[in-house]
């Protein structure tokens, strides 16, 4: 903070001191030339008073101009990186400084030479009238200062950028076609030209905006066409580039997939700029082609528009708060910690029972992201007393419960641990959160909780019930659940499995060619979780992301094989192994008894349904808890499977009680007649 205040008080970067000196010389030269060009016959004789005006004012006019330019931010970065805004700032600075100089001269009336007249033996002195700055000198100074200051910046810029060297790159350079003629594309071209040792020569742009067709950039590179499939194919055939770079950080997956498909058919390598999330998380503030350009990944090619939110805006409610994340070392939990850290919470409590995972995320936050508010806590959410101790000590305002077992096959053979960790632990944490006055509780759920067919899905369905029942019982805490599909790149997900199988030479195993799944990226899922925390009304709502169309697993496998530069079935075999027990061909995002409703957040829906009966939920968890304590895995799996297929709403429970009362005889004593 101290460094930031000092920078604001004196807005000159230490590396810009030479630029400050050069500007001082140029401003002095412009001021001097303005007088010399106006008074071509010199500043002596009748123009002597203007010569004195120049002498008396130049010593303070130059510093005034430099101070004004500094106020407009001209010395906060090197001229190597100047752009349109910097040139506009120079114009504004020169206008203001010219007005200040003219106003100061008019107000101060600088002293000039006092002319004298000799009459015989007497010398008569006549005091000259105050001298004002001629309008022609003002105009000349303004124009000369603009030309010299802007010219110096432009000259340095083009020399450093390599414009003078044109496209003289090293011998054997590879031709590169840039997808995207906007700011991202120009950044890539600038880096390629500046770093000729990369042996990459840009040959043109392809842009998705047809209005840019035929336009050129500052280096003379032309927009050759659009990203429409036929147009893109024509350009690739005509230009025959060695490499294609996708320079649109916000490019939708459909565009990336179209480019990759067209390039793979022609044997052209494809690389991409980082996504918006990666650029924000990089922290360097600079684009470095050699470090940041990377191969296209499958998550870049989702067949839908990715969800984008401004985390500083949607997560503003976390700023200055104590925020706790359980499962902080997992795939979702660690990304939650990264994004929450960006909104400056007062304290970020990292809870995990795995020491290595907790150590990894803590080290990343402290060493790579310079977060000083993270507090690591080794604790198991299944241990009620330990969680009560942690929540009582730290008193979080918001709690994101991401701790869960998620591997379907592993949970099928360990049903007791699945229920204990996913369902019972969630119930425990939700209850203690209310008792310790947590303001907002958000459960991370999954689409496998919808019409569950596995123990893992049933355990998450029960976790949703536990949160909803807690919301009905405890009014002081806002409860919400976030439900989404498969997360690309998370540990144990299909993408890392396919990647390992491809690296090993195959085969890539697919359970069923008809199987489809919804997919999203880890940053997308975390945005949804954080946004849901602000949407919660406190009644245990379930929020679901509009995830577009599901993707066929076999198509995902083929895409990953092609991205590896190989051909499916020819280089890497795809083996159909059959669905595992309980595995569904299609996952759903809503239960039959739920109705999708819009929310104030774009692409986030609310699952509206009848409220649960808290008494029935308590009875269910009592039965499950008893089976867990007994360790009866078979009975537990059977019981949970039966329960998860039904839902006990408050209305149904009331109707059932009334029907039971109507069937049972009235055993009360008859009322005696009076």
């Amino acid at each position: 903070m101290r460094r930031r205040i000092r920078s604001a008080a004196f807005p000159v970067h230490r590396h810009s001191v030479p630029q400050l000196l050069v500007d001082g010389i140029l401003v002095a030269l412009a001021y001097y030339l303005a007088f010399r060009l106006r008074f071509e016959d010199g500043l002596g004789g009748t123009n002597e008073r203007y010569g004195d005006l120049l002498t008396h004012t130049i010593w303070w006019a130059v510093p005034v101009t430099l101070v004004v330019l500094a106020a407009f931010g001209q010395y906060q970065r090197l001229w190597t990186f100047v752009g349109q805004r910097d040139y506009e700032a120079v114009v504004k600075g020169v206008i203001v400084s010219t007005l200040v100089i003219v106003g100061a001269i008019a107000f101060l009336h600088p002293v000039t030479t006092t002319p004298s007249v000799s009459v015989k033996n007497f010398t008569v002195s006549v005091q000259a009238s105050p001298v004002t700055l001629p309008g022609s000198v003002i105009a000349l100074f303004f124009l000369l200062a603009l030309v010299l200051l802007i010219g110096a910046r432009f000259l340095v810029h083009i020399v450093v950028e390599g414009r003078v060297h044109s496209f003289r790159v090293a011998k054997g350079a590879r031709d590169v076609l840039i997808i995207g003629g906007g700011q991202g594309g120009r950044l890539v071209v600038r880096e390629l030209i500046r770093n000729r040792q990369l042996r990459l020569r840009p040959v043109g742009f392809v842009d998705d905006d047809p209005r840019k067709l035929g336009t050129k950039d500052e280096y003379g590179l032309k927009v050759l066409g659009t990203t429409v499939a036929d147009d893109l194919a024509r350009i690739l055939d005509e230009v025959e580039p060695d490499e294609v770079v996708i320079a649109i950080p916000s490019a939708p997956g459909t565009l990336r997939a179209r480019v990759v498909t067209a390039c793979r058919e022609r044997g052209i390598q494809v690389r991409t700029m980082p996504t918006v999330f990666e650029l924000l998380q990089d922290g360097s503030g600079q684009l470095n082609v050699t470090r940041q350009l990377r191969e296209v990944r499958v998550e870049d090619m989702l067949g839908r528009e990715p969800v984008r939110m401004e985390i500083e805006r949607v997560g503003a409610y976390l700023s200055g708060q104590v925020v706790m994340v359980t499962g902080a070392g997992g795939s979702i939990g660690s990304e939650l910690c990264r994004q929450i850290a960006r909104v400056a919470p007062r304290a970020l409590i990292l809870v995990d029972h795995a020491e290595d995972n907790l150590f990894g995320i803590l080290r990343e936050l402290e060493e790579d992201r310079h977060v000083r508010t993270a507090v690591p806590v080794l604790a198991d959410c299944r241990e009620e007393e330990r969680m009560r101790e942690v929540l009582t000590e730290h008193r979080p305002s918001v709690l994101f419960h991401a701790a869960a077992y998620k591997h379907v096959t592993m949970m099928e053979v360990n049903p007791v641990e699945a229920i204990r960790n996913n369902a019972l632990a969630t119930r425990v944490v939700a209850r203690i959160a209310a008792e310790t006055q947590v303001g907002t509780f958000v459960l991370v759920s999954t689409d496998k909780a919808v019409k569950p067919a596995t123990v893992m899905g049933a355990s998450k369905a029960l976790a949703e019930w536990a949160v909803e029942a807690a919301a009905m019982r405890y009014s002081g805490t806002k409860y919400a659940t976030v439900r989404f599909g498969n997360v690309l790149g998370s540990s144990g997900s299909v993408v890392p499995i396919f990647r390992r199988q491809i690296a090993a030479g195959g085969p890539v195993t697919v359970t069923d060619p008809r199987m489809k799944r919804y997919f999203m990226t880890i940053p997308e899922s975390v945005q949804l979780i954080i946004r849901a925390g602000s949407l919660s009304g406190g009644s245990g709502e379930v929020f679901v992301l509009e995830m577009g169309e599901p993707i066929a697993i076999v198509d995902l496998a083929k895409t990953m094989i092609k991205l590896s530069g190989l051909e499916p079935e020819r280089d890497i075999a795809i083996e159909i192994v059959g669905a595992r027990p309980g595995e569904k061909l299609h996952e759903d995002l809503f239960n039959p008894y739920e109705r999708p409703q819009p929310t104030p957040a774009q692409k986030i829906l609310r699952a509206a349904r009848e409220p649960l009966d808290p008494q029935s939920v308590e009875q269910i968890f009592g039965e499950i808890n008893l089976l867990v304590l007994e360790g009866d895995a078979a009975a537990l799996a059977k019981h949970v499977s039966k329960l998860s297929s039904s839902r006990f709403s408050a209305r149904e429970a009331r109707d059932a009680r009334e029907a039971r009362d109507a069937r049972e005889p009235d055993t009360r004593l008859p009322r005696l007649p009076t």
Side-chain angles (χ1 to χ4, degrees):
M1 180 63 70
R2 185 180 304 166
R3 185 188 310 167
R4 188 174 299 174
I5 294 173
R6 187 184 300 122
S7 175
F10 188 65
V12 177
H13 195 279
R14 58 189 177 87
H15 296 301
S16 299
V17 172
Q19 298 172 179
L20 186 68
L21 297 177
V22 171
D23 275 356
I25 295 172
L26 295 178
V27 172
L29 180 61
Y31 198 73
Y32 173 75
L33 289 177
F35 280 86
R36 293 294 301 180
L37 293 175
R38 168 62 179 82
F39 304 104
E40 296 179 0
D41 54 347
L43 295 173
T46 58
N47 296 326
E48 184 178 358
R49 56 179 182 161
Y50 291 108
D52 288 342
L53 180 63
L54 171 63
T55 304
H56 287 114
T57 58
I58 192 172
W59 65 270
W60 58 261
V62 173
V64 165
T65 304
L66 296 179
V67 169
V68 173
L69 290 172
F72 279 94
Q74 283 301 293
Y75 307 112
Q76 293 181 337
R77 60 176 176 171
L78 299 177
W79 287 349
T80 307
F81 306 105
V82 297
Q84 181 179 347
R85 291 185 179 180
D86 297 283
Y87 295 131
E88 293 175 356
V90 170
V91 174
K92 295 175 183 177
V94 173
I95 292 174
V96 172
S97 60
T98 302
L99 294 175
V100 171
I101 292 171
V102 172
I105 291 176
F107 179 76
L108 297 175
H109 302 302
V111 178
T112 60
T113 301
T114 303
S116 60
V117 179
S118 297
V119 181
K120 293 184 179 181
N121 296 325
F122 299 95
T123 300
V124 179
S125 297
V126 180
Q127 183 68 38
S129 60
V131 180
T132 58
L133 196 63
S136 53
V137 173
I138 298 172
L140 284 170
F141 170 69
F142 174 74
L143 295 175
L144 288 170
L146 278 183
V147 171
L148 292 175
L149 294 175
I150 292 178
R153 286 158 172 75
F154 184 72
L155 181 63
V156 171
H157 180 65
I158 63 173
V159 169
V160 175
E161 287 296 314
R163 181 84 176 268
V164 174
H165 302 290
S166 185
F167 294 114
R168 289 183 296 165
V169 294
K171 187 177 180 180
R174 293 160 54 85
D175 289 340
V176 178
L177 181 67
I178 311 297
I179 306 297
Q183 184 67 22
R186 291 195 294 271
L187 282 172
V188 172
V189 171
R190 182 183 302 172
E191 288 294 321
L192 295 183
I193 294 175
R194 179 186 299 170
N195 300 287
R196 295 190 299 278
Q197 70 275 13
L198 295 176
R199 299 176 181 270
L200 297 173
R201 178 176 49 241
V203 294
F205 296 100
V206 175
D207 199 86
D208 52 359
D209 187 354
R211 294 173 296 181
K212 295 182 180 179
L213 186 63
T215 59
K216 295 182 179 180
D217 74 337
E218 57 182 316
Y219 299 103
L221 291 175
K222 191 176 181 181
V223 177
L224 304 175
T226 65
T227 55
V228 177
D230 294 339
D231 205 13
L232 178 62
R234 175 187 60 79
I235 296 168
L236 293 174
D237 292 334
E238 292 178 355
V239 177
E240 296 184 350
D242 299 300
E243 185 173 332
V244 169
V245 172
I246 301 175
I248 310 176
S250 59
T254 51
L255 189 150
R256 294 178 189 270
R258 186 162 62 246
V259 172
V260 170
T261 301
C263 291
R264 293 299 183 196
E265 291 174 354
R266 295 162 176 80
I268 301 172
Q269 181 183 1
V270 184
R271 287 196 285 175
T272 183
M273 276 183 66
T275 64
V276 174
F277 295 110
E278 292 171 297
L279 287 172
L280 288 173
Q281 294 176 0
D282 179 69
S284 66
Q286 300 291 336
L287 174 67
N288 186 305
V289 171
T290 57
R291 179 169 57 87
Q292 290 184 298
L293 284 183
R294 58 166 174 76
E295 294 294 323
V296 179
R297 297 193 291 250
V298 66
E299 50 262 47
D300 298 321
M301 300 166 60
L302 287 175
R304 59 175 173 80
E305 282 288 333
V307 176
R308 296 188 192 6
M309 299 179 187
E310 298 175 7
I311 193 63
E312 287 79 6
R313 178 177 57 83
V314 301
Y317 70 99
L318 303 175
S319 180
Q321 303 294 320
V322 177
V323 183
M324 179 178 288
V325 178
T326 65
S331 303
I332 299 297
S334 59
E335 182 64 20
L336 262 171
C337 295
R338 295 183 193 102
Q339 295 204 30
I340 292 171
R342 286 173 48 196
V343 299
R346 180 157 56 91
L348 179 56
I349 315 302
L350 317 178
V351 179
D352 205 298
H353 74 279
E355 179 194 15
D356 53 346
N357 289 348
L358 186 60
F359 177 77
I361 184 59
L362 177 66
R363 185 171 183 178
E364 178 185 338
L365 291 175
E366 290 186 341
E367 297 186 7
D368 299 343
R369 303 175 186 276
H370 310 293
V371 176
R372 295 292 177 261
T373 57
V375 180
V377 176
L378 272 172
D380 194 328
C381 294
R382 295 171 295 187
E383 299 177 4
E384 182 171 347
E385 290 307 314
R386 175 58 176 152
M387 290 308 300
R388 190 183 308 278
E389 177 184 299
V390 171
L391 285 166
T392 302
E393 177 184 357
H394 296 286
R395 296 285 178 176
S397 302
V398 183
L399 194 158
F400 293 97
H401 185 53
Y405 290 147
K406 60 183 180 180
H407 300 291
V408 174
T409 54
M410 188 71 70
M411 295 304 98
E412 284 297 308
V413 294
N414 294 278
V416 173
E417 289 304 309
I419 300 301
R420 178 184 289 154
N421 192 68
N422 291 358
L424 299 182
T426 298
R427 181 168 175 254
V428 166
V429 177
R431 185 180 71 250
I432 299 175
E435 294 173 357
T436 54
Q437 299 178 341
V438 173
T440 302
F441 180 99
V442 181
L443 168 68
V444 178
S445 189
T446 170
D447 59 354
K448 293 176 175 59
V450 177
K451 295 188 291 187
T454 62
V455 171
M456 185 271 183
S459 69
K460 295 300 288 185
L462 289 170
E464 291 186 6
W465 290 12
V467 170
E468 186 176 350
M472 301 179 68
R473 172 167 294 185
Y474 307 107
S475 59
T477 299
K478 294 182 178 179
Y479 290 89
T481 295
V482 184
R483 185 192 294 163
F484 46 82
N486 293 268
V487 177
L488 287 168
S490 65
S491 61
S493 68
V494 68
V495 171
I497 294 173
F498 283 174
R499 192 174 288 131
R500 287 195 299 270
Q501 291 176 338
I502 293 170
V508 173
T509 56
V510 176
T511 52
D512 192 292
R514 299 168 295 170
M515 185 169 290
K516 293 183 178 182
R517 290 292 184 268
Y518 293 100
F519 285 101
M520 67 190 311
T521 65
I522 293 177
E524 283 182 299
S525 64
V526 168
Q527 285 185 90
L528 172 63
I529 295 167
I530 294 175
R531 184 70 174 100
S534 64
L535 291 174
S536 174
S539 59
E541 302 103 320
V542 175
F543 297 100
V544 184
L545 173 68
E546 288 185 16
M547 300 188 67
E549 295 298 321
I551 299 173
I553 301 299
V554 67
D555 291 342
L556 180 67
K558 291 178 181 178
T559 299
M560 291 190 65
I561 294 172
K562 291 178 180 178
L563 284 175
S564 301
L566 304 171
E567 282 298 319
E569 301 298 352
R570 188 187 70 185
D571 302 315
I572 299 290
I574 297 178
E575 182 180 344
I576 307 299
V577 296
R580 291 167 293 192
E583 197 169 31
K584 296 184 290 187
L585 294 180
H586 305 279
E587 295 283 7
D588 298 302
L589 295 173
F590 295 91
N591 282 297
Y593 52 80
E594 294 175 334
R595 303 179 308 281
Q597 289 185 346
T599 68
Q602 185 180 10
K603 294 190 175 182
I604 297 180
L605 300 174
R606 178 186 290 106
R609 66 270 184 94
E610 289 288 333
L612 275 171
D613 176 41
Q615 295 180 8
S616 299
V617 174
E618 288 298 317
Q619 181 181 350
I620 290 169
F621 273 97
E623 297 170 358
I624 291 174
N625 195 40
L626 181 61
L627 292 173
V628 167
L629 290 174
E630 294 175 350
D632 192 342
L636 180 64
K638 182 179 180 180
H639 191 64
V640 167
S641 177
K642 181 179 67 175
L643 287 174
S644 61
S645 62
S646 60
R647 176 180 170 85
F648 300 92
S649 69
R651 184 180 60 184
E652 290 171 342
R654 185 181 64 250
D655 293 343
R657 283 194 295 268
E658 291 176 353
R660 184 179 65 248
D661 293 341
R663 290 194 303 270
E664 293 178 354
D666 191 350
T667 58
R668 292 173 299 178
L669 292 175
R671 180 179 298 178
L672 296 175
T674 58

